[in-house]
Amino acid sequence: MVIKPLPRIACVLLAAGALVLAGCGGGYGEVIYEETIVIDPVGDVEVDNQTDISGSFEDMFAFDMAPAATGLWTGNLLPGVVFPGEVEFVGSFFEDFYDAEADLDLGTVTFFDIFVEEGLTTTFEVF
Protein backbone atom coordinates (compact mmCIF):
# COMPACT_ATOMS: atom_id res chain seq x y z
CA MET A 1 0.00 0.00 0.00
CA VAL A 2 1.34 3.41 -0.98
CA ILE A 3 0.57 6.43 1.19
CA LYS A 4 0.34 9.64 -0.76
CA PRO A 5 1.44 12.90 0.90
CA LEU A 6 -1.29 15.39 1.74
CA PRO A 7 -1.62 18.37 -0.55
CA ARG A 8 -0.07 21.58 0.78
CA ILE A 9 -3.46 23.25 1.38
CA ALA A 10 -4.57 20.32 3.54
CA CYS A 11 -1.42 20.67 5.69
CA VAL A 12 -2.04 24.40 6.10
CA LEU A 13 -5.67 23.83 7.11
CA LEU A 14 -4.70 21.12 9.62
CA ALA A 15 -2.07 23.38 11.20
CA ALA A 16 -4.50 26.32 11.38
CA GLY A 17 -7.14 24.12 12.98
CA ALA A 18 -4.65 22.88 15.57
CA LEU A 19 -3.72 26.45 16.47
CA VAL A 20 -7.37 27.49 16.83
CA LEU A 21 -8.12 24.53 19.09
CA ALA A 22 -5.00 25.19 21.15
CA GLY A 23 -6.16 28.77 21.67
CA CYS A 24 -9.44 27.67 23.21
CA GLY A 25 -9.14 27.79 26.97
CA GLY A 26 -11.55 25.01 27.74
CA GLY A 27 -11.39 25.86 31.44
CA TYR A 28 -13.24 28.24 33.69
CA GLY A 29 -11.98 30.76 36.17
CA GLU A 30 -9.68 33.74 36.14
CA VAL A 31 -6.79 34.29 33.80
CA ILE A 32 -3.44 34.65 35.53
CA TYR A 33 -0.72 36.63 33.81
CA GLU A 34 2.82 35.86 34.72
CA GLU A 35 5.17 38.82 34.89
CA THR A 36 8.81 38.32 33.99
CA ILE A 37 11.33 40.69 35.52
CA VAL A 38 14.58 41.05 33.62
CA ILE A 39 17.53 42.46 35.51
CA ASP A 40 20.27 43.85 33.33
CA PRO A 41 23.82 42.98 34.41
CA VAL A 42 24.96 46.45 35.50
CA GLY A 43 27.54 47.76 37.90
CA ASP A 44 27.95 51.21 39.42
CA VAL A 45 30.88 53.47 38.59
CA GLU A 46 32.38 56.23 40.70
CA VAL A 47 35.42 58.44 40.35
CA ASP A 48 37.71 59.27 43.29
CA ASN A 49 39.85 62.42 43.00
CA GLN A 50 42.88 61.46 45.09
CA THR A 51 45.10 64.34 44.00
CA ASP A 52 45.07 65.52 47.62
CA ILE A 53 47.04 62.37 48.50
CA SER A 54 49.48 62.73 45.60
CA GLY A 55 50.05 66.39 46.47
CA SER A 56 49.09 67.94 43.13
CA PHE A 57 45.65 69.15 44.38
CA GLU A 58 43.93 69.24 40.98
CA ASP A 59 40.25 69.78 40.30
CA MET A 60 38.59 67.23 37.99
CA PHE A 61 36.46 68.88 35.30
CA ALA A 62 35.40 65.94 33.13
CA PHE A 63 35.18 62.16 33.23
CA ASP A 64 34.00 60.08 30.29
CA MET A 65 33.95 56.38 29.45
CA ALA A 66 33.73 54.10 26.41
CA PRO A 67 33.48 50.35 25.99
CA ALA A 68 37.11 49.21 25.67
CA ALA A 69 38.77 49.90 22.32
CA THR A 70 35.59 51.28 20.69
CA GLY A 71 36.02 55.05 20.87
CA LEU A 72 32.27 55.39 21.65
CA TRP A 73 32.70 57.96 24.43
CA THR A 74 29.83 58.92 26.73
CA GLY A 75 30.68 62.58 27.04
CA ASN A 76 31.25 64.22 30.43
CA LEU A 77 29.56 62.21 33.19
CA LEU A 78 30.30 64.65 36.02
CA PRO A 79 27.53 66.93 37.29
CA GLY A 80 30.14 69.51 38.27
CA VAL A 81 33.74 69.87 39.40
CA VAL A 82 35.12 67.07 41.60
CA PHE A 83 37.54 68.63 44.06
CA PRO A 84 40.57 66.86 45.61
CA GLY A 85 39.43 64.28 48.16
CA GLU A 86 35.90 63.95 46.73
CA VAL A 87 34.22 60.84 45.32
CA GLU A 88 31.45 61.20 42.71
CA PHE A 89 28.99 58.58 41.40
CA VAL A 90 28.91 58.77 37.58
CA GLY A 91 26.38 56.09 36.64
CA SER A 92 25.50 52.43 36.17
CA PHE A 93 26.95 50.57 33.21
CA PHE A 94 26.55 47.14 31.64
CA GLU A 95 29.10 44.60 32.81
CA ASP A 96 32.04 44.95 30.41
CA PHE A 97 35.55 46.34 30.00
CA TYR A 98 35.83 50.13 29.69
CA ASP A 99 38.33 52.83 28.81
CA ALA A 100 38.02 56.15 30.64
CA GLU A 101 39.53 59.64 30.72
CA ALA A 102 39.59 62.18 33.53
CA ASP A 103 40.41 65.81 32.71
CA LEU A 104 42.20 67.69 35.49
CA ASP A 105 43.91 71.07 35.90
CA LEU A 106 47.29 69.79 34.74
CA GLY A 107 46.30 67.17 32.19
CA THR A 108 44.38 64.01 31.43
CA VAL A 109 44.47 60.66 33.21
CA THR A 110 43.64 57.70 30.95
CA PHE A 111 42.42 54.24 31.95
CA PHE A 112 42.37 51.18 29.69
CA ASP A 113 40.39 47.92 29.96
CA ILE A 114 38.87 48.44 33.41
CA PHE A 115 36.27 45.76 34.19
CA VAL A 116 32.92 46.99 35.52
CA GLU A 117 31.36 44.01 37.27
CA GLU A 118 27.65 43.35 37.70
CA GLY A 119 26.30 44.26 41.13
CA LEU A 120 29.51 45.92 42.34
CA THR A 121 30.89 49.46 42.43
CA THR A 122 34.01 50.12 40.35
CA THR A 123 36.06 53.10 41.49
CA PHE A 124 38.35 54.97 39.10
CA GLU A 125 41.04 56.48 41.33
CA VAL A 126 42.68 59.58 39.90
CA PHE A 127 46.05 60.60 41.43
Side-chain angles (χ1 to χ4, degrees), residues 56-59 61 103-109:
S56 62
F57 294 97
E58 298 178 62
D59 297 338
F61 298 101
D103 293 330
L104 298 120
D105 290 325
L106 301 177
T108 300
V109 176

Side-chain angles (χ1 to χ4, degrees), residues 68-85:
T70 65
L72 301 172
W73 295 98
T74 58
N76 187 11
L77 297 169
L78 299 179
V81 176
V82 179
F83 298 103

Side-chain angles (χ1 to χ4, degrees), residues 4-39:
K4 294 182 181 179
L6 290 174
R8 181 174 289 194
I9 188 71
C11 290
V12 170
L13 290 174
L14 280 174
L19 288 175
V20 168
L21 288 176
C24 296
Y28 298 98
E30 66 182 81
V31 177
I32 298 174
Y33 295 97
E34 189 174 313
E35 183 177 332
T36 303
I37 298 173
V38 177
I39 300 174

Side-chain angles (χ1 to χ4, degrees), residues 37-56:
I37 298 173
V38 177
I39 300 174
D40 292 326
V42 296
D44 292 337
V45 174
E46 64 184 15
V47 63
D48 184 358
N49 184 348
Q50 294 188 0
T51 58
D52 58 327
I53 296 172
S54 66
S56 62

Side-chain angles (χ1 to χ4, degrees), residues 39-44 92-95 116-120:
I39 300 174
D40 292 326
V42 296
D44 292 337
S92 296
F93 295 84
F94 288 113
E95 181 176 86
V116 174
E117 188 172 351
E118 170 188 0
L120 298 178

